[in-house]
Amino acid sequence: MKPFGYVRAGTPVEAVEAWAAHPDAHYLGGGTNLVDLMKLGVETPGTLIDVSRLPLDTVADTPGGGLTVGAAVRNSDLAAHRAVRDRYPALSQALLAGASGQLRNIATTGGNLLQRTRCPYFQDTDKPCNKRRPGSGCPARDGVHRDLAVLGHSEHCVATHPSDMAVALTALDATVVLLGPDGERTVPAADFHRLPGERPQQDTVLRPGELITAVELPPPAGMSAYRKARDRASYAFALVSVAAVLDVRGGRVRAAALAFGGVAHRPWRARAAEEVLRGAPATRDSFERAAAAELDLARPLRDNSFKVPMARRLAVSMLTGLAQPAPTRRGQGGRR
Ligand SMILES: Cc1cc2nc3c(=O)[nH]c(=O)nc-3n(C[C@H](O)[C@H](O)[C@H](O)COP(=O)(O)OP(=O)(O)OC[C@H]3O[C@@H](n4cnc5c(N)ncnc54)[C@H](O)[C@@H]3O)c2cc1C
Ligand code: SF4
């Protein structure tokens, strides 16, 4: 591993100032992704600015009925938080579907959002990869791509974003709070990650030196849930996952939000499906039409077309479950 310096920041402002003094630095959360990539030679920061012990480790109610989650809150703590389990079950379920207990005990909210793709070529410095070395090519497009994107990919990159938590945050209309050399700004979670286009090396809209300080959740817009299809029952990334929020009144869909994971370079907010759902009868037929409207946009690669029917079935089954009257449903709380 390349030698690197280490700085521990005491406040968010100190962290950003430390970055200004070391522009080749990376922020360090739990290190569960960054340190692995440093060992592989994929990431080579000159300095690590440790932000894992910043005073950003609380989950608190906001005056408007939402929740604010500090960037240093550990994944286990967030998943177990009473308000998250009761009001945002999709978020708790997504966190618990990711990694392992040991990893979740260390991984942070900020680091989880910024974990990098698990595309095998990205992790292998002997191979070309446009994301790791822009302009070198994308061997995954004609190579090993069973786990990779079916939506929104480009000729330059077909990678998928790996975070389960980010998919739930996208469906829950969360906002990411950033502090950078030019001050504070917020970005909707749905716009935080990018599609690859011609610049796959850039995963997000984060500007140089920006630190994630918090994630803010608006009041729950309906019942919510998260489900993940994967090769093993635990310790595996999503082949396809779905986060859904549904508010049904008088048998009709009043509000719906849907996001897919494991299918694109970013959590895929299913706007076409939501358009079909809004005001429609809360029936299996509507859910089928909604899923089809979104997945018509899919452009599978040679070996991953199975993801399209998998995403459709998962979405329909989840929406059907969420539309059931409350007593028959378990673990899908939220506003009713
Ligand atoms: C074996 C294994 C299985 C896994 N399975 C899953 C899975 O199924 N689902 C899933 O979602 N994840 C999975 N993960 C990934 C895991 O969730 C991430 O490694 C973890 O969430 C990253 O958080 P961290 O705090 O350790 O981030 P770090 O590794 O510390 O950092 C990750 C990135 O975020 C940046 N960063 C960290 N904090 C901040 C901040 N506050 N502001 C700005 N930048 C910041 C770092 O510079 C780095 O680029 C798995 C990991 C492993 C090792
Ligand atoms: S899919 Fe993206 S990450 Fe994977 S090899 Fe191609 S450019 Fe690299």
Side-chain angles (χ1 to χ4, degrees):
M1 193 194 283
K2 187 186 143 204
F4 58 91
Y6 174 86
V7 177
R8 186 183 297 165
T11 65
V13 169
E14 248 179 65
V16 174
E17 285 172 355
W19 182 86
H22 306 277
D24 64 345
H26 280 18
Y27 295 123
L28 176 70
T32 60
N33 186 222
L34 179 56
V35 174
D36 279 359
L37 292 176
M38 288 169 68
K39 287 179 186 165
L40 292 169
V42 173
E43 301 272 22
T44 53
T47 303
L48 291 182
I49 302 169
D50 189 343
V51 295
S52 67
R53 289 176 234 196
L54 291 181
L56 300 173
D57 57 351
T58 53
V59 180
D61 287 317
T62 59
L67 218 53
T68 180
V69 179
V73 172
R74 307 288 168 166
N75 290 179
S76 294
D77 294 336
L78 186 56
H81 195 279
R82 171 57 67 189
V84 175
R85 288 170 55 192
D86 287 351
R87 287 151 57 196
Y88 306 95
L91 177 54
S92 180
Q93 291 162 11
L95 284 159
L96 293 176
S100 65
Q102 292 94 329
L103 286 160
R104 293 193 296 267
N105 287 343
I106 297 293
T108 61
T109 305
N112 189 317
L113 273 175
L114 289 171
Q115 60 175 294
R116 307 213 65 193
T117 184
R118 309 309 270 208
C119 172
Y121 301 98
F122 175 73
Q123 300 190 341
D124 182 348
T125 53
D126 290 336
K127 301 281 191 319
C129 166
N130 284 329
K131 184 178 278 297
R132 184 169 29 74
R133 196 151 35 90
S136 60
C138 174
R141 174 164 271 286
D142 294 319
V144 177
H145 56 227
R146 172 183 175 268
D147 295 351
L148 303 185
V150 295
L151 282 157
H153 50 76
S154 73
E155 63 177 292
H156 303 283
C157 181
V158 295
T160 46
H161 181 70
S163 167
D164 291 293
M165 181 190 78
V167 179
L169 293 178
T170 297
L172 291 165
D173 276 327
T175 302
V176 185
V177 185
L178 304 170
L179 179 69
D182 297 327
E184 191 172 90
R185 68 181 180 119
T186 58
V187 179
D191 300 332
F192 183 69
H193 295 95
R194 294 180 63 255
L195 289 180
E198 293 182 356
R199 287 179 293 122
Q201 67 273 25
Q202 206 176 329
D203 293 347
T204 68
V205 299
L206 206 64
R207 295 176 189 150
E210 279 186 325
L211 175 76
I212 299 176
T213 56
V215 169
E216 289 180 352
L217 288 153
M223 313 297 296
S224 75
Y226 183 82
R227 267 170 64 192
K228 173 175 176 180
R230 48 187 155 172
D231 284 328
R232 291 187 303 271
S234 76
Y235 220 40
F237 288 89
L239 292 169
V240 171
S241 69
V242 180
V245 181
L246 193 68
D247 183 14
V248 175
R249 306 278 169 102
R252 290 200 168 258
V253 176
R254 196 168 117 141
L258 203 63
F260 290 106
V263 295
H265 194 259
R266 68 179 188 202
W268 186 269
R269 183 74 187 252
R271 305 274 183 201
E274 292 171 13
E275 191 60 39
V276 173
L277 287 173
R278 215 162 291 125
T283 58
R284 191 178 176 90
D285 179 58
S286 302
F287 303 148
E288 293 273 9
R289 282 191 298 107
E294 194 66 42
L295 292 161
D296 273 356
L297 305 170
R299 298 288 173 268
L301 306 168
R302 183 194 62 226
D303 292 334
N304 67 3
S305 56
F306 71 94
K307 287 192 176 195
V308 178
M310 186 179 260
R312 180 175 55 73
R313 287 193 197 110
L314 207 52
V316 172
S317 136
M318 281 184 69
L319 290 166
T320 308
L322 284 171
Q324 299 297 313
T328 61
R329 208 183 323 100
R330 288 174 65 84
Q332 296 170 342
R335 193 162 64 79
R336 190 74 182 163

